[in-house]
Amino acid sequence: MPGIETSTAWKTLAAHAERMKRTHLRDLLGDAARNSALSIKANGILFDFSRQNVNIETMDFLMDLAGAAMLEEKRAAMFSGEKINVTEGRAVLHVALRAERSATILVDGVNQVPLVHDVLDHIKDFSHRVLTGTFVGATGKSLKNIISIGIGGSYLGPEFVYEAIKCVPQAAEVAEGRTLRFLANVDPVDVARATKGLNPEETLVVVVSKTFTTAETMLNARTLRKWLLDGVKGTGPEEVIRRHMVAASSAVPLVTEFGIDSANVFGFWDWVGGRYSVCSAVGMLPLSLTFGFEILEQFLAGARNIDEHFATAPIRQNIPVLMGLLGIWNSTFLGHESRAILPYAQALLRFPAHVQQLDMESNGKRVGLDGQELPFQAGEVNFGEPGTNGQHSFYQLIHQGRTIPTEFIGFARSQYPVELPNEVVSSQDELMSNFFAQPDALALGKTLEQLDVEGVKEELRPHKTFPGNRPSFSLLFGQLDPFTTGQLLALYEHRVFVQGAIWGINSFDQWGVELGKVLAKQVRTQLTASRQGEKIISGFNSSTAAMLNFYLSNSSESSGSAV
Ligand SMILES: O=P(O)(O)OC[C@H]1O[C@H](O)[C@H](O)[C@@H](O)[C@@H]1O
């Protein structure tokens, strides 16, 4: 099939983009009919994209592009369990992780949904036993601390959801007196941070790894196995591991080889990509052990709610489809290479980091499905911080430096309202005043003439000018709770799918992370030899060899300061 760039829809959009580059959001936003057409309400969410550099015609052309890319057919293929991850021969079924018990999704003729619910039932039962003190540590103490070891997709999603849900009062109540910490980095400092102040006798370690071979995770798992064996006395090592270590993995034989009881392995399947695995045991296990399964069920229901919307809503009214098409428009047609994710909710502080992996590992590709080099760039640089913090940090660049499409995520109600008697607004209204103001500041900007009228000194006017015309969209929800957290997760997962489908790439492999791992193996071998007295560093270019020499000669305490 010829690349999407050969389609009429693509060429029409490319020509249209040249015209749209000459329009300004100041003028576009003056058209109330346009604005109301570029805003939809669905599933309790308001999605306003009137501050994108688009008019009604642009949206028509983008719909044509979706048709030319066979977006709806590709979406149906994903939902029906076709092996759309062609380079790995796998289905892509994170939607099955939150499917209703009664649903049927076949892979190789086998319904996967009952398998999903078996594991969910197992998690429900196990977390209930831990939370009620029926399953206890080897010395009889209740397991009130959880350390979840995992990296990449086995860490970022669960951490984002943990931070979001821990701010929900009902969840905070269940988690009272409990600790959940994540250990991702192989930096020994992360081990120290994760274990600091915890009693191993009261700690359950959850090893989360799809492959159970990831170097960092396995070293951290061995490190914490030793920490447990050193710290839990009076019983044999097998009992200590059986009582204090469990796993979420799709590689059950490797887990049992490690020493973890097969009864305490919570499986998932090759059709769950790491960065799409939050709704599998990867997230559900550590989070249920902290907040209880019932709260996590609401999270799954939220994700399912958006799955249904994505699968069935007409594409013009379909939030992830619109988000994805606008992503294509901004990056491919208008040339904006980055985007900023700005949740006006402190509880979403780790959401941008999750989206970073989800989007950049999925769509940061150089070839199409057919292996041909793409004639355009795929993927964007994603970054972000909660508002208003970001405003006091990098918004300067967004307002007056580069043009970076921004994504504002806000909530109508706070979980912890603060209303001081002598303040003009509540803290939530103060926060949201910024949420509503920033998109207009970016879109409308401020002209020299306005500054003149305001009496600003002439020499300062250029410095105080805001060009405006900087696109953004706004997603507004009722309240941040487990359900809306699930909705948000699924919206962004499906947006990634839409962009990958239009670009014609495989969003579900990640060969780009392999080369560095292979080279690290070579360095590891050299470091082992050097530590055993081998004087010669070989097999590296002179730059790496010099850095290794510097590292080795400064790495013992007696070698003093490195510089
Ligand atoms: O879950 P694991 O198999 O340990 O993988 C952890 C992570 O490492 C890999 O290198 C990939 O880049 C990620 O997509 C993955 O999530």
Side-chain angles (χ1 to χ4, degrees):
M1 183 178 153
I4 186 67
E5 72 284 357
T6 62
S7 66
T8 308
W10 183 281
K11 289 174 190 159
T12 306
L13 273 165
H16 177 70
E18 293 312 310
R19 290 197 297 281
M20 290 308 288
K21 282 178 190 167
R22 293 192 292 274
T23 62
H24 196 290
L25 276 170
R26 218 174 276 143
D27 302 317
L28 293 173
L29 276 168
D31 179 348
R34 166 197 172 273
N35 297 348
S36 78
L38 301 180
S39 167
I40 60 169
K41 286 190 206 100
N43 299 38
I45 305 163
L46 174 67
F47 177 53
D48 185 308
F49 52 104
S50 58
R51 286 170 193 75
Q52 294 282 316
N53 299 105
V54 297
N55 56 26
I56 308 287
E57 203 182 23
T58 322
M59 297 315 295
D60 291 340
F61 295 151
L62 286 170
M63 295 303 147
D64 293 343
L65 184 70
M70 310 222 301
L71 174 65
E72 288 172 273
E73 291 81 349
K74 290 177 181 172
R75 178 184 61 184
M78 176 176 76
F79 274 91
S80 66
E82 268 182 47
K83 295 190 177 169
I84 61 168
N85 175 358
V86 288
T87 60
E88 297 179 308
R90 293 174 181 168
V92 174
L93 277 179
H94 40 282
V95 292
L97 298 171
R98 50 251 187 169
E100 294 276 16
R101 208 177 272 273
S102 56
T104 302
I105 303 175
L106 302 176
V107 175
D108 296 328
V110 179
N111 186 8
Q112 303 297 303
V113 180
L115 311 179
V116 168
H117 281 272
D118 281 352
V119 176
L120 289 176
D121 290 344
H122 188 190
I123 293 173
K124 181 177 181 178
D125 172 65
F126 181 71
S127 53
H128 183 72
R129 285 192 291 136
V130 171
L131 287 169
T132 53
T134 319
F135 185 100
V136 291
T139 55
K141 295 206 164 122
S142 95
L143 295 162
K144 60 186 179 96
N145 311 314
I146 309 293
I147 302 179
S148 182
I149 305 177
I151 198 163
S154 294
Y155 155 59
L156 290 160
E159 191 186 44
F160 133 57
V161 177
Y162 167 67
E163 291 292 342
I165 292 185
K166 88 174 189 202
C167 296
V168 175
Q170 190 197 353
E173 209 174 292
V174 182
E176 183 71 40
R178 308 191 153 269
T179 310
L180 170 59
R181 292 190 191 159
F182 294 91
L183 171 55
N185 202 325
V186 75
D187 182 341
V189 168
D190 213 12
V191 173
R193 285 160 51 113
T195 54
K196 191 173 167 42
L198 300 188
N199 179 357
E201 292 180 62
E202 298 174 331
T203 304
L204 181 67
V205 172
V206 185
V207 186
V208 183
S209 176
K210 181 178 172 183
T211 56
F212 225 72
T213 57
T214 303
E216 295 92 329
T217 300
M218 296 324 298
L219 181 51
N220 278 335
R222 293 191 292 274
T223 305
L224 286 210
R225 181 172 60 186
K226 182 167 184 308
W227 178 74
L228 288 167
L229 292 174
D230 290 348
V232 185
K233 298 290 179 205
T235 172
E238 274 170 28
E239 183 64 1
V240 173
I241 303 306
R242 201 171 73 79
R243 289 277 159 190
H244 293 268
M245 288 190 101
V246 300
S249 181
S250 62
V252 180
L254 293 179
V255 181
T256 47
E257 205 176 289
F258 181 88
I260 293 174
D261 187 350
S262 60
N264 295 336
V265 185
F266 299 81
F268 55 103
W269 308 271
D270 72 355
W271 44 257
V272 186
R275 53 195 175 274
Y276 298 89
S277 65
V278 197
C279 297
S280 73
V282 165
M284 292 296 287
L285 180 59
L287 295 168
S288 295
L289 284 164
T290 308
F291 301 122
F293 188 79
E294 287 66 27
I295 283 174
L296 271 298
E297 270 182 318
Q298 298 165 26
F299 164 71
L300 292 183
R304 179 165 61 244
N305 171 271
I306 293 300
D307 294 342
E308 284 161 8
H309 168 77
F310 178 51
T312 59
I315 58 169
R316 281 177 182 276
Q317 300 291 320
N318 194 309
I319 302 178
V321 170
L322 291 166
M323 286 167 68
L325 290 173
L326 292 167
I328 299 273
W329 171 246
N330 284 325
S331 63
T332 306
F333 293 99
L334 298 182
H336 305 314
E337 294 181 352
S338 312
R339 58 184 169 208
I341 294 111
L342 308 171
Y344 277 65
Q346 189 59 24
L348 292 179
L349 78 166
R350 295 297 286 155
F351 183 60
H354 172 63
V355 173
Q356 237 165 28
Q357 187 206 9
L358 179 67
D359 193 59
M360 292 165 78
E361 203 171 65
S362 296
N363 285 344
K365 302 289 162 65
R366 58 176 288 278
V367 296
L369 283 166
D370 56 3
Q372 294 296 311
E373 200 170 325
L374 298 171
F376 48 81
Q377 296 265 315
E380 293 102 324
V381 178
N382 292 255
F383 72 100
E385 277 291 321
T388 60
N389 301 16
Q391 290 173 205
H392 300 273
S393 164
F394 52 82
Y395 279 33
Q396 165 66 42
L397 181 142
I398 297 178
H399 280 289
Q400 288 187 315
R402 294 171 188 273
T403 299
I404 297 181
T406 44
E407 308 185 349
F408 291 89
I409 301 166
F411 296 85
R413 302 181 300 282
S414 172
Q415 312 92 316
Y416 292 98
V418 173
E419 239 166 294
L420 298 183
N422 298 323
E423 295 292 333
V424 275
V425 288
S426 67
S427 297
Q428 173 70 7
D429 283 351
E430 175 64 22
L431 171 72
M432 293 303 282
S433 300
N434 291 278
F435 172 89
F436 293 112
Q438 289 289 338
D440 273 339
L442 287 164
L444 305 175
K446 195 163 195 180
T447 61
L448 279 172
E449 296 71 42
Q450 285 172 298
L451 292 162
D452 185 14
V453 172
E454 284 178 13
V456 173
K457 279 194 209 149
E458 198 170 353
E459 65 271 24
L460 279 181
R461 283 180 213 155
H463 299 280
K464 294 194 165 192
T465 297
F466 291 72
N469 203 30
R470 283 147 195 258
S472 68
F473 69 61
S474 305
L475 277 168
L476 189 53
F477 297 75
Q479 183 167 308
L480 183 56
D481 56 27
F483 186 86
T484 49
T485 303
Q487 285 185 311
L488 188 62
L489 172 84
L491 283 176
Y492 274 78
E493 285 178 347
H494 296 320
R495 185 260 287 271
V496 171
F497 174 86
V498 171
Q499 292 199 209
I502 305 280
W503 280 322
I505 59 178
N506 183 358
S507 302
F508 303 103
D509 60 11
Q510 58 284 320
W511 302 107
V513 304
E514 294 304 323
L515 180 59
K517 289 185 194 171
V518 174
L519 296 187
K521 206 180 239 177
Q522 192 193 340
V523 178
R524 203 178 293 134
T525 307
Q526 176 67 57
L527 290 178
T528 310
S530 302
R531 298 287 185 210
Q532 286 166 357
E534 172 60 61
K535 294 270 180 288
I536 297 164
I537 290 184
S538 61
F540 299 93
N541 60 51
S542 59
S543 162
T544 307
M547 285 197 284
L548 283 170
N549 264 320
F550 186 86
Y551 173 71
L552 285 163
S553 56
N554 283 285
S555 60
S556 69
E557 261 184 49
S558 58
S559 55
S561 145
V563 276

